[in-house]
């Protein structure tokens, strides 16, 4: 995928010893990529667990893609067709589940947890998100705990996401209705 080479080059330029103009150009390229509709395809491609190419991607590129996903789920969630939302849900959960080294992958896990929180709050058609997330991440406790730490932080600021007050109230009630179950799970550890 040629775009990943361009992204890696732009990320290296930002961190490298180069001219301010080249850094500015690289930054503009990355910002435009993040805003583009095409970025969803790249996100899906790079964050597919067990993708043979996944090991080739730099940690910096993976972090950038996770940050892009976080931004896209917050600001551009409406770009996705309804049919892609369950795919995005599974992509995030599966990738989170594949990250087994919390110390090395903490920044990725945090970005993915924020993205999953935004998705969970905005996906009005997701019937029982908390139970599904608890089940999917039950074998990856540190990642589950990170998500459970982040979700209330994101849920308590209704201005971050483009929901009207009725939608927000519905989602808030749906997501907080499992608080006893979450408390029980947390008390087991």
């Amino acid at each position: 995928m040629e775009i990943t080479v361009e992204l890696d080059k732009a990320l290296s330029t930002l961190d490298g010893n180069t001219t301010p103009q080249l850094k500015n150009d690289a930054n503009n390229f990355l910002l435009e990529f993040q805003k583009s509709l095409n970025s969803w395809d790249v996100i899906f491609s790079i964050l597919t667990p067990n993708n043979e190419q996944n090991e080739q991607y730099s940690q910096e590129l993976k972090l950038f893609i996770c940050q892009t996903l976080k931004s896209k789920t917050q600001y551009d969630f409406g770009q996705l067709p309804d049919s892609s939302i369950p795919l995005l849900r599974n992509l995030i959960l599966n990738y989170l589940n594949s990250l087994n080294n919390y110390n090395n992958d903490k920044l990725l896990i945090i970005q993915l947890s924020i993205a999953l929180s935004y998705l969970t709050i905005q996906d009005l058609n997701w019937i029982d998100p908390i139970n599904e997330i608890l089940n999917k991440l039950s074998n990856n406790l540190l990642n589950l705990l990170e998500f459970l730490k982040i979700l209330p932080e994101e849920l308590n600021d209704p201005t971050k996401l483009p929901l009207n007050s009725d939608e927000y109230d519905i989602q808030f009630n749906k997501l907080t209705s499992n608080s006893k179950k979450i408390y029980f799970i947390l008390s087991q550890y």
Side-chain angles (χ1 to χ4, degrees):
M1 190 178 239
E2 187 166 315
I3 186 70
T4 59
V5 173
E6 292 176 49
L7 291 169
D8 251 337
K9 183 178 175 185
L11 290 166
S12 295
T13 301
L14 282 182
D15 290 338
N17 186 15
T18 186
T19 67
Q21 182 60 47
L22 286 175
K23 286 184 186 232
N24 189 46
D25 292 346
N27 187 54
N28 288 338
F29 171 76
L30 294 171
L31 289 172
E32 286 304 311
F33 168 79
Q34 287 183 313
K35 294 175 188 174
S36 74
L37 194 55
N38 181 47
S39 62
W40 285 113
D41 294 333
V42 177
I43 289 167
F44 275 89
S45 173
I46 291 178
L47 297 184
T48 300
N50 304 321
N51 178 350
E52 294 168 5
Q53 290 182 308
N54 204 295
E55 294 304 316
Q56 296 175 26
Y57 301 131
S58 68
Q59 193 73 353
E60 187 177 25
L61 178 61
K62 290 178 191 177
L63 178 59
F64 174 74
I65 291 299
C66 289
Q67 290 168 331
T68 301
L69 174 61
K70 178 193 77 162
S71 179
K72 297 294 276 182
T73 54
Q74 182 176 10
Y75 299 111
D76 299 329
F77 186 67
Q79 288 179 336
L80 281 177
D82 288 344
S83 61
S84 294
I85 294 172
L87 299 173
L88 177 63
R89 190 186 307 155
N90 288 330
L91 175 83
I92 296 171
L93 286 168
N94 290 335
Y95 199 75
L96 259 175
N97 219 17
S98 75
L99 298 174
N100 294 317
N101 189 333
Y102 185 80
N103 291 332
N104 287 345
D105 297 325
K106 184 175 182 178
L107 295 175
L108 301 177
I109 293 164
I110 290 170
Q111 296 300 310
L112 289 167
S113 294
I114 295 170
L116 183 58
S117 294
Y118 291 156
L119 174 63
T120 302
I121 296 166
Q122 292 184 86
D123 187 354
L124 302 174
N125 296 318
W126 197 353
I127 305 298
D128 194 7
I130 297 299
N131 278 321
E132 190 172 331
I133 292 166
L134 292 173
N135 288 334
K136 281 271 195 173
L137 297 179
S138 63
N139 293 326
N140 203 325
L141 184 62
L142 291 176
N143 296 359
L144 174 60
L145 292 174
E146 191 67 49
F147 168 76
L148 292 174
K149 178 180 88 176
I150 289 172
L151 179 62
E153 294 170 13
E154 302 307 328
L155 188 58
N156 280 324
D157 188 359
T159 62
K160 282 186 175 181
L161 301 171
L163 295 175
N164 65 43
S165 61
D166 290 338
E167 292 169 331
Y168 175 78
D169 290 342
I170 289 168
Q171 291 303 92
F172 183 87
N173 291 329
K174 182 193 313 182
L175 295 171
T176 58
S177 68
N178 288 300
S179 57
K180 288 181 183 178
K181 182 174 185 173
I182 293 169
Y183 177 75
F184 175 76
I185 289 170
L186 293 175
S187 68
Q188 301 301 304
Y189 299 100

